[in-house]
Amino acid sequence: MQAVVVDGFGGPEQIELVEVPVPRPGAGQVRVRVRAAGLNPVDGAVRAGIFGGAGQRLGFGWDVAGEIDGIGAGVSGWALSDPVVGLHYGPVKPLGTHAQYVVLDASAIAAAPASADPVSAAALPLSGLTAARAVDLLGLAPGASVLVTGAAGVVGGLAVQLAARAGYAVTALAGADDEALVRTLGATAFVPRGSAPAGPVDGVVDAAVLGAAALAHVREGGVYVGLRPGGAPAAERGVRVVEQEVAADGEHLARLVALVDAGELTLRAGETFALAEAAKAHARLAEGGARGRIVLTVS
């Protein structure tokens, strides 16, 4: 099969499409025939060597949408050709979802949204689980005020939707041109980037990774939720500082799929590239400013 890898760190020019053996599912695992796979900022960080792995061949891709192609021993409840979505956790791995086939633990998959095509579905696993865990970590009472930074991004936009659904009064911080978008996602107030909310908020989901600048908007005794492990600012003024760490959680993913099919969660896939165009996709990711998740398609 074909898979996207790097044998050395650097820019998009390091990306290679190589032939590797089709992986076999072990006990408790399934093999997925990949139809679409999201390209996330973490993939660019892997390519640049931020997570290490020097001297190793590294694969890419956390998100996957496709069909079950093989089933390992001890797996029940799934059948060949079942459409699924899943999360392949881990930045340093020899193969990821940017390949024609990928093996995942059965506990990492969920039935694909019936209302979404594979490209749209591929925008859900990593971003959706990240946003959902961040909102859960707020731990505030309904009606609390919550600021979401980077609210027009894929993760931030999902956090806005999930926070509003949880009963929070959501203020969205995003670019000046994004007000209409974030309000359609459920924000009741808007702050253009570079400005401050009208007053302190009970909590913040810092999808833009602003750190101390975002924490400064939280009231004394409130909560700051960071989305980059190890990147949260120091606690101050009694603010509870926590970080989310995404996990491959098929049950949680299934709950998000149900929200998608109920029309309560909007998926935002953006530009698409064929697997053979992975280097171009990485170059587009590096440019920044993409609207929606960049997705690799696999025929």
Side-chain angles (χ1 to χ4, degrees):
M1 71 170 188
Q2 293 184 316
V4 178
V5 302
V6 289
D7 287 316
F9 301 136
E13 72 281 356
Q14 295 291 334
I15 296 294
E16 297 181 71
L17 187 66
V18 299
E19 294 283 341
V20 298
V22 176
R24 295 178 179 273
Q29 296 181 320
V30 298
R31 183 171 62 212
V32 177
R33 173 66 168 94
V34 180
R35 297 301 178 185
L39 177 64
N40 291 275
V42 66
D43 294 304
V46 170
R47 187 195 69 238
I50 291 174
F51 297 102
Q56 304 176 45
R57 169 170 281 185
L58 301 179
F60 294 91
W62 295 52
D63 299 309
V64 65
E67 303 95 35
I68 291 179
D69 174 77
I71 301 175
V75 175
S76 60
W78 296 104
L80 296 178
S81 299
D82 280 350
V84 295
V85 289
L87 181 70
H88 191 357
Y89 177 86
V92 180
K93 54 199 177 191
L95 289 174
T97 63
H98 296 174
Q100 290 178 302
Y101 297 89
V102 65
V103 166
L104 299 176
D105 290 341
S107 61
I109 63 171
S115 59
D117 61 20
V119 168
S120 296
L124 176 63
L126 179 56
S127 297
L129 288 169
T130 298
R133 290 170 73 88
V135 171
D136 288 348
L137 285 170
L138 286 168
L140 297 167
S145 57
V146 170
L147 174 70
V148 177
T149 70
V154 178
V155 175
L158 289 167
V160 168
Q161 295 178 74
L162 292 166
R165 188 176 181 278
Y168 298 137
V170 180
T171 296
L173 190 154
D177 295 335
D178 294 317
E179 180 173 3
L181 168 64
V182 297
R183 287 189 181 276
T184 64
L185 298 176
T188 55
F190 174 74
V191 179
R193 189 182 300 119
S195 301
V201 295
D202 297 313
V204 62
V205 173
D206 190 16
V209 197
L210 301 181
L215 186 145
H217 300 312
V218 181
R219 64 164 173 80
E220 183 175 346
V223 57
Y224 167 99
V225 180
L227 272 65
R228 179 180 292 171
E236 60 179 49
R237 299 177 291 105
V239 174
R240 178 169 57 92
V241 173
V242 294
E243 297 175 330
Q244 77 81 36
E245 173 69 20
V246 75
D249 186 339
E251 290 186 6
H252 198 171
L253 185 55
R255 294 196 292 273
L256 296 176
V257 168
L259 293 179
V260 171
D261 283 339
E264 298 182 32
L265 199 59
T266 300
L267 300 177
R268 293 167 57 210
E271 298 171 65
T272 61
F273 295 83
L275 190 67
E277 299 175 309
K280 292 182 180 179
H282 273 255
R284 179 66 188 93
L285 178 69
E287 290 175 3
R291 278 290 175 259
R293 179 65 61 228
I294 296 171
V295 176
L296 296 180
T297 58
V298 185
S299 59

